[in-house]
Structures are given as structure tokens and as C-alpha cells.
Amino acid sequence: MAATSTSLASQLYIGLRRPCPKFDSFNSPSFSAFDPNLRLSLSPPKPSRAVVAMAGSGKFFVGGNWKCNGTKDSISKLVADLNSAKLEPDVDVVVAPPFLYIDQVKNSLTDRIEIAAQNSWVGKGGAFTGEISAEQVKDIGGKWVVLGHSERRHIIGENDEFIGKKAAYALSQGLGVIACIGELLEEREAGRTFDVCFQQLKAYADAVPSWDNIVIAYEPVWAIGTGKVATPQQAQEVHVALRDWLKKNVSDEVASKTRIIYGGSVNGGNSAELAKQEDIDGFLVGGASLKGPEFATIVNSVTSKKVAA
């Protein structure tokens, strides 16, 4: 019986501690050498869906991932800025504070903005030092969780299967999932962007019972925190391919309803042009989400979507 339990546990947690690149690799010369004009060496994408029927709930979706940043004082200031910001009404807005500050943010932030956790465990809580369970996220008032972020994949070492299991468990506990995918620079240069993203997407599809509470976040790793950003055309090219994959491998309904948002050095200066793209349904924002007024500008870039429609 003990052997069986050990075997089941091993299957559940496989992928948590596989070998992964060193953190220093993210400062390698290859990232600074990226050619912003680089295109995918793949066939042209099929025409995308019309903008007038926004994906999912019909609302633009903007998430702010605060990562491992902030103090009580700086977060109080950020929350005050967000509370005083004028945000377009037809946008779902979510912020993901560090775990230690979720309660502070939940108790002081306007109800207009929902709370996400930056990670959650693959199953029920227990003897898992340093982890946080989906039940705990929900108990403290969180509505969403960010899973599969490249920093969890490539620094912590979580693999596709493990992330898919985490997503399935979070959904089973009533959380919405911001499901991140994205390719490394060397994968894009090798023409493997679609292959990598489809493989990561398939891991979610194989594990989750429903796509009703999932938002897909396409974040090319070479654009996260580097100042590099995919051109609107590059981002759209991947987004329409992801939607086409959902259509062929899940269903037409899921492909139409699921929101696919873009992340990777999104800021107040580039969000409006990105938002005009037909298959970009919002953003997952990193550094710029730590600046209240700029984050509000990104949220309000939905007006560019309306003009484009």
C-alpha cells in the first residue's frame, strides 16, 4: 500500500524538479542580439476572426503580474493609484501581488479589480514547504491564478505536464487560470515558435475539464523584461495560430470564446497598437503594472480595439 501511494505521489509531482537552465542564462548575449524584424519561418497564418465578437465574456482582459516586487509602503501607494484611476468599464482587470501582500491588497483595493495568485500547488495543501494551495488562494479572496509563466518553467523547472495538472486542480477549486505559454529566443530563431506553443497548449488541453475559466497568455520569453516587444504583426501571427489550434484540437466554441492575451514588455506606449490586432484580447503586464497610471493606460487601450472594430 505504501509503495502504491509513493508511486501515485511521484506521478502527481513529476516535473517539479527537472534540470533547468541557470538564472544567468537570462542575461546571455543572445537576448540583447534579438532582431526585432525577425519573422516566423512558417506558412502565413489564416485570416483571424472578426473583432466585433470579442472572445470569452466579450471583455478585454488585462492582468498585472507584480512578481517578486514591492513593500508594504510601495504597494499601498500602488493601490492608491489604482483606486483613483479611471478605468474603462468593459475590461476585466486583475492584479497578482506577491503572496505576502495579497491580504493587504484585497482589503484596500477597489472591487473593480480582482486578485490573482502568482502560483498554486498541484493538489490539496499539506506538507509542501513554501507552497500555497488553490484552496488558500480562494479562502483569502483570490479569483485567479497565473500558471505556466516562463520564470516558473525555465528557472524553477516546471514542465508542461506538471503545469497542466496544476491548472486542472486550480479550476477544480473554482479559480480562473491565466495559462501562460511562450517560446525562447533560440526556439523562435529556429522556426519552432508554433511547435513550442502548441506543445505547451496541448498540455493544458490534455489536463483541464473545461476552458470556461481559462485565459491564455502568450508571452514570448525573449520579450519578458528585456525591453524587446513583439511587433503587433508578430503577436497577431501567433495568436491566430493558437486560436486555429484550439479550433482543430478542442472545439470551434472554445476557439471563439477563449481570450488570448499578449505579454512581454507591454507598456503604455505600445499597448494601443497591440490592442488593435484582431486576436489580441488583452494583456498580461509585468513591470508596467507596478506603475498605477501606466497600468491604467494599458487597461484603457481597449478603446483602440473599439476603433479597430
Side-chain angles (χ1 to χ4, degrees):
M1 184 67 178
T4 301
S5 299
T6 301
S7 176
L8 289 173
S10 298
Q11 292 176 20
L12 182 62
Y13 307 138
I14 188 169
L16 178 60
R17 293 292 179 260
R18 68 178 173 82
C20 59
K22 292 181 180 179
F23 179 83
D24 289 345
S25 67
F26 281 77
N27 296 318
S28 66
S30 62
F31 275 80
S32 60
F34 172 70
D35 178 359
N37 296 315
L38 181 66
R39 298 288 292 168
L40 296 176
S41 55
L42 296 166
S43 302
K46 295 180 180 180
S48 56
R49 80 199 194 294
V51 176
V52 286
M54 278 292 294
S57 69
K59 286 187 178 182
F60 210 58
F61 186 103
V62 177
N65 181 9
W66 297 358
K67 304 190 180 184
C68 190
N69 292 296
T71 63
K72 288 196 295 184
D73 288 344
S74 68
I75 285 175
S76 293
K77 172 65 166 60
L78 176 54
V79 167
D81 288 342
L82 292 174
N83 286 343
S84 63
K86 183 177 180 181
L87 304 177
E88 288 290 317
D90 51 348
V91 184
D92 286 335
V93 186
V94 176
V95 294
F99 292 132
L100 286 171
Y101 302 115
I102 287 179
D103 197 41
Q104 175 188 346
V105 174
K106 183 67 177 65
N107 291 330
S108 56
L109 184 64
T110 171
D111 292 339
R112 169 73 182 82
I113 301 174
E114 293 186 330
I115 303 295
Q118 296 179 20
N119 180 42
S120 65
W121 183 234
V122 69
K124 188 175 181 179
F128 306 108
T129 302
E131 285 294 339
I132 183 170
S133 70
E135 292 92 341
Q136 290 171 324
V137 174
K138 190 173 180 181
D139 181 54
I140 206 168
K143 299 292 182 64
W144 295 85
V145 61
V146 179
L147 295 174
H149 194 280
S150 66
E151 290 151 7
R152 300 292 306 182
R153 294 177 185 271
H154 300 295
I155 299 175
I156 305 302
E158 297 180 355
N159 69 19
D160 296 341
E161 182 183 1
F162 185 68
I163 293 164
K165 290 176 179 178
K166 290 171 73 170
Y169 190 77
L171 290 170
S172 77
Q173 298 306 305
L175 294 177
V177 171
I178 301 171
C180 301
I181 60 174
E183 82 282 8
L184 296 165
L185 177 61
E186 53 265 35
E187 292 167 338
R188 170 169 277 266
E189 290 178 329
R192 297 188 58 238
T193 292
F194 288 1
D195 292 339
V196 171
C197 290
F198 293 167
Q199 177 181 319
Q200 294 171 353
L201 198 55
K202 183 178 184 299
Y204 288 114
D206 288 346
V208 302
S210 168
W211 289 80
D212 289 345
N213 293 312
I214 297 177
V215 172
I216 298 169
Y218 168 59
E219 294 195 298
V221 181
W222 46 267
I224 298 174
T226 63
K228 304 290 185 182
V229 61
T231 66
Q233 295 74 27
Q234 286 173 329
Q236 166 66 12
E237 188 175 21
V238 177
H239 280 228
V240 72
L242 295 173
R243 203 174 299 282
D244 191 53
W245 188 93
L246 289 173
K247 181 177 180 180
K248 291 177 179 177
N249 295 278
V250 184
S251 72
D252 287 349
E253 182 181 11
V254 167
S256 176
K257 287 185 175 181
T258 302
R259 290 175 286 186
I260 305 176
I261 63 178
Y262 171 78
S265 296
V266 176
N267 58 50
N270 58 34
S271 57
E273 286 303 311
L274 286 162
K276 290 178 182 178
Q277 298 301 306
E278 296 179 0
D279 283 84
I280 294 180
D281 300 320
F283 302 110
L284 184 57
V285 187
S289 70
L290 299 172
K291 306 169 185 175
E294 185 170 11
F295 186 64
T297 297
I298 297 169
V299 170
N300 294 336
S301 67
V302 68
T303 56
S304 297
K305 176 71 79 180
K306 296 173 185 175
V307 171

